[in-house]
Amino acid sequence: MATIITKEQQEKEKMVTLVSSDSEKFVVEQKVAEKSHVIKMVMNCCGIESPIPVRRVKGDILKSILEYCEKHSKGEAQEVMEKWDKEYMDKAEKDLVFFHDLMLASHFLHIQELVDLIAVTFAGMLKMKSPEEIRQKFNINNDLTKEQEEHIMTTFGWAFQPI
Amino acid sequence: MMKKMIKHPNNNPNLEEEERDWSHIPGQFLWGVMNYLPPFDAMRISYVCNSWKSIIKPEPNKITIPWVLCNPSSSISTDRIFIDLSTNAISRVKIPDIVSQGTCISSKHGWLLLHPNSHPMNIINGGFYSHRIFPYQPRVTSSKYEPNTSIVNNKCTLRLLHPVSGTVIDLPEIQEEDCNVVVGPAIIGAVSELTGKPELIIQASFRGHKGIVLRITRAGQSQWEEHRFQHCFGWETRVARVAMHGSTRVCCFDPKGRMCVFEMEDKSWLIFPELCNSRSGFVVECEDEVVKVAPLPPSVHGNQERYMFYKLGLDENGVIGWVEMERVGLENKWWFLDINGESYCVKGVGRKVFQLFGHYGMVRNGGGRVRFGTRIVSEVGIPLSVLDLDDGVPQELMPELALKDCKLGWILMDFPVSV
């Protein structure tokens, strides 16, 4: 009996509470939270007794990230993980706002595996696209072209016109 | 970077649906993304916006090996295949509609000079070598240039294309006075070190008994400045090659190797009628020199290939001519040749000759087989090979490509200087 209680206690000790920027609470195993290098460092220095605030990550993003970390802390077969990752990304890239926040959050929380996965997905979105198409897709301001045009037309005098 | 997130306050969910600032994503992340992109797409990232450009810096000391550009010869597709030979990476790139039918006739510093007609005038039977000496002259019959009545040959607009950024610059229209004169070859003469943009374009046409007209235009000029030269006696029908010798001399060659030189400083012409009485070869511009790479007939034993290298200089009598290059002059250079006479060389490592046969799957001789000298390959043969000068044994190089009917060419795709 005594040993079982100890185990339960240990398991309880291994749980950690993370609080998102919009005050949503997530209770996860320590090994799941450790997937984030940043949270791991916080846990190392401050312990896991009190809830850890993740101020820059909203609830829905943190939930999705923890879902990823949980799956990746199980040590499943590679093929299973690859399939799961693909489905996870397929879902994420449909919503660019969500995808953007997921990218920033994984970068901020320093979850290298997820950062790489997002980078591969993002690279896929940029392939075979002209700078203009990329700007349109991601609603990026066309500040460079104006400057280039000015460079071409005035500063460096490119004014080739048909005679 | 997290400040950027604060830009979008969490308490305003309606606005948030639309707004995320993709221009200010973490630089480290963007660098990571570069690792997963084909080279062409990776180069293009820096042209999206200033913020991305400031993150992606060009690598100034990277050795630049010409890329292979595959032009489909039949379709008017706007896709082009670019092959980076240093990594064998293949990039498929959409180019603007307006230049989709153009053929690249010169390339420097990432810029391509495009001729609007599908058969530019300088591909007829190659740059300048005679067929009986050049050992690997395929029997080009079907792809030989025939004046096409649907294309107006005496009039064209050359365009500059920067395929990474998609920038197109129209050059002033060229119109020959006589409708029988075809618009001859053109080159990018110089690229500004400051801006990375072409600043000198040179074009030459041959007008029969009226001689040569050389056209020059520079950044900032809205028309071509013309220089005529009538005394090019014995010239063969057209200008085959234009090359820069130093920064002020323009060399024009006819198909037999006769040369006229225009000195831009004092606007004078010089002619060298004796120059053609030498071995035939490819004319290559090489670091301010004009070099001739002459293939020798294949040896009786094995499949060794041999080349002689000459540069334009003073011979023992103090007369301008082709001077054999010393071995040390060949060290650390790669030579890039192709059958169209469009060739480049850059600094590299080792002594290798890259050979490119202009057409892939187009050149045929009878029953779908191509004859390259002593070798006979099938129609989908390997048109690209590299030869080590030490042993002279050629190796086939072509990355696996499911392409047919393509015209191949060398282009220089170095990273542009950051503007």
Side-chain angles (χ1 to χ4, degrees):
Chain A
M1 282 298 278
T3 48
I4 293 166
I5 290 163
T6 318
K7 257 189 184 172
E8 274 175 6
Q9 275 173 342
Q10 276 176 351
E11 268 165 27
K12 264 183 192 167
E13 277 167 11
K14 279 183 179 173
M15 299 305 277
V16 60
T17 304
L18 304 175
V19 185
S20 70
S21 64
D22 45 0
S23 307
E24 212 174 319
K25 283 182 185 169
F26 298 90
V27 182
V28 294
E29 284 178 64
Q30 191 182 344
K31 67 171 183 181
V32 172
E34 265 181 8
K35 284 275 163 190
S36 157
H37 192 66
V38 171
I39 295 177
K40 187 180 178 182
M41 289 203 301
V42 173
M43 291 190 299
N44 283 348
C45 71
C46 310
I48 56 172
E49 290 77 29
S50 52
I52 297 172
V54 190
R55 289 200 192 91
R56 282 160 178 171
V57 182
K58 281 205 313 173
D60 58 334
I61 303 295
L62 189 56
K63 185 180 170 212
S64 180
I65 282 189
L66 291 172
E67 197 186 318
Y68 174 90
C69 293
E70 197 176 344
K71 189 75 186 173
H72 278 251
S73 59
K74 284 180 183 163
E76 286 183 55
Q78 202 185 339
E79 306 87 72
V80 179
M81 295 314 299
E82 277 171 10
K83 188 165 174 280
W84 190 88
D85 281 353
K86 194 184 173 299
E87 283 166 12
Y88 182 75
M89 276 293 119
D90 284 350
K91 213 172 109 192
E93 71 176 320
K94 279 182 188 145
D95 180 353
L96 280 184
V97 172
F98 177 81
F99 185 73
H100 178 272
D101 291 353
L102 192 70
M103 178 268 291
L104 277 190
S106 62
H107 180 76
F108 166 63
L109 292 171
H110 210 304
I111 308 165
Q112 198 53 47
E113 286 175 322
L114 184 55
V115 169
D116 289 345
L117 182 62
I118 292 172
V120 172
T121 312
F122 190 53
M125 293 172 170
L126 300 178
K127 265 179 209 167
M128 277 293 289
K129 287 204 172 63
S130 70
E132 184 51 38
E133 285 170 317
I134 294 172
R135 284 186 214 113
Q136 274 174 10
K137 183 166 172 76
F138 297 101
N139 198 19
I140 293 172
N141 194 15
N142 192 356
D143 60 349
L144 188 78
T145 302
K146 278 176 197 160
E147 188 202 301
Q148 273 186 326
E149 275 171 3
E150 274 168 27
H151 262 291
I152 290 166
M153 291 307 175
T154 59
T155 320
F156 298 101
W158 269 111
F160 285 119
Q161 298 292 333
I163 299 168
Chain B
M1 62 85 195
M2 291 310 294
K3 277 182 184 167
K4 294 299 165 194
M5 276 196 80
I6 296 163
K7 257 188 165 178
H8 314 284
N10 292 332
N11 55 8
N12 194 347
N14 292 335
L15 247 181
E16 251 188 33
E17 287 307 305
E18 298 300 321
E19 292 193 16
R20 281 294 183 273
D21 186 3
W22 283 96
S23 62
H24 289 89
I25 57 178
Q28 218 181 340
F29 173 75
L30 199 57
W31 267 110
V33 171
M34 297 266 290
N35 294 333
Y36 299 110
L37 282 172
F40 221 96
D41 291 298
M43 287 164 79
R44 200 146 44 188
I45 290 298
S46 64
Y47 288 86
V48 171
C49 63
N50 273 316
S51 166
W52 287 20
K53 194 182 184 82
S54 66
I55 294 165
I56 310 299
K57 290 272 190 289
E59 298 167 56
N61 295 325
K62 207 177 169 188
I63 293 169
T64 49
I65 295 173
W67 291 27
V68 181
L69 166 62
C70 309
N71 270 315
S73 26
S74 50
S75 79
I76 53 161
S77 156
T78 56
D79 279 8
R80 292 291 180 278
I81 310 277
F82 292 80
I83 306 164
D84 177 358
L85 278 187
S86 59
T87 59
N88 266 7
I90 292 172
S91 299
R92 189 180 285 270
V93 174
K94 269 200 168 56
I95 62 169
D97 279 347
I98 192 166
V99 293
S100 62
Q101 278 189 292
T103 306
C104 177
I105 54 172
S106 172
S107 169
K108 243 178 209 167
H109 227 311
W111 287 87
L112 315 183
L113 181 61
L114 299 172
H115 194 292
N117 298 346
S118 52
H119 296 281
M121 310 317 156
N122 59 340
I123 74 163
I124 318 164
N125 294 333
F128 114 62
Y129 44 78
S130 82
H131 305 157
R132 64 201 152 76
I133 295 180
F134 185 64
Y136 304 118
Q137 168 68 21
R139 309 287 183 261
V140 187
T141 47
S142 60
S143 65
K144 187 171 173 175
Y145 174 72
E146 309 269 345
N148 184 337
T149 48
S150 67
I151 298 169
V152 182
N153 286 324
N154 66 337
K155 191 172 165 180
C156 79
T157 300
L158 302 175
R159 291 189 173 88
L160 289 162
L161 166 70
H162 194 276
V164 179
S165 65
T167 309
V168 177
I169 300 171
D170 281 13
L171 298 174
E173 191 185 52
I174 293 173
Q175 177 149 24
E176 298 295 349
E177 294 157 355
D178 187 340
C179 61
N180 294 323
V181 175
V182 291
V183 176
I187 55 166
I188 300 174
V191 174
S192 161
E193 282 181 22
L194 188 68
T195 64
K197 294 191 172 73
E199 54 181 9
L200 174 67
I201 312 292
I202 297 166
Q203 188 274 331
S205 299
F206 185 69
R207 291 170 165 174
H209 64 280
K210 288 183 187 165
I212 291 176
V213 59
L214 189 75
R215 294 183 178 84
I216 298 175
T217 189
R218 295 167 198 273
Q221 293 178 347
S222 60
Q223 48 187 298
W224 297 93
E225 167 193 312
E226 290 194 359
H227 301 279
R228 291 149 201 258
F229 185 61
Q230 284 199 351
H231 309 286
C232 35
F233 302 110
W235 260 55
E236 287 255 326
T237 63
R238 68 195 174 92
V239 179
R241 267 304 258 154
V242 180
M244 289 293 289
H245 186 223
S247 56
T248 61
R249 282 177 299 279
V250 182
C251 305
C252 305
F253 295 92
D254 85 344
K256 286 278 161 71
R258 291 180 187 86
M259 181 176 78
C260 288
V261 176
F262 179 70
E263 172 59 66
M264 286 195 280
E265 275 187 347
D266 58 8
K267 297 186 169 31
S268 63
W269 283 92
L270 290 165
I271 188 161
F272 301 90
E274 295 307 312
L275 216 61
C276 61
N277 299 332
S278 63
R279 202 180 288 282
S280 305
F282 297 95
V283 172
V284 182
E285 233 180 81
C286 173
E287 293 160 22
D288 290 345
E289 300 266 23
V290 176
V291 173
K292 185 165 74 171
V293 185
L296 299 177
S299 58
V300 187
H301 311 288
N303 61 345
Q304 284 192 357
E305 294 177 20
R306 293 172 301 158
Y307 288 95
M308 295 286 282
F309 293 79
Y310 304 88
K311 70 175 179 184
L312 214 51
L314 297 178
D315 64 14
E316 62 267 29
N317 303 321
V319 179
I320 279 216
W322 292 112
V323 182
E324 196 177 330
M325 285 179 81
E326 288 170 28
R327 194 183 160 92
V328 65
L330 308 175
E331 298 288 346
N332 293 329
K333 294 231 197 320
W334 289 2
W335 302 90
F336 294 84
L337 310 177
D338 81 36
I339 200 163
N340 295 338
E342 302 295 322
S343 3
Y344 305 98
C345 104
V346 289
K347 267 195 172 143
V349 184
R351 300 160 63 235
K352 293 182 189 298
V353 177
F354 289 76
Q355 305 168 101
L356 184 75
F357 291 98
H359 284 80
Y360 182 51
M362 267 292 282
V363 185
R364 60 193 74 197
N365 179 26
R369 291 171 84 79
V370 188
R371 191 177 152 81
F372 292 134
T374 51
R375 288 178 298 168
I376 295 181
V377 293
S378 68
E379 191 185 329
V380 285
I382 309 293
L384 182 61
S385 63
V386 59
L387 164 76
D388 198 314
L389 287 180
D390 282 327
D391 57 14
V393 177
Q395 266 186 318
E396 287 167 350
L397 245 195
M398 197 62 181
E400 281 180 33
L401 263 185
L403 276 175
K404 274 191 178 181
D405 287 353
C406 266
K407 207 170 87 59
L408 307 176
W410 298 115
I411 56 160
L412 288 174
M413 269 319 305
D414 26 347
F415 265 106
V417 178
S418 189
V419 178

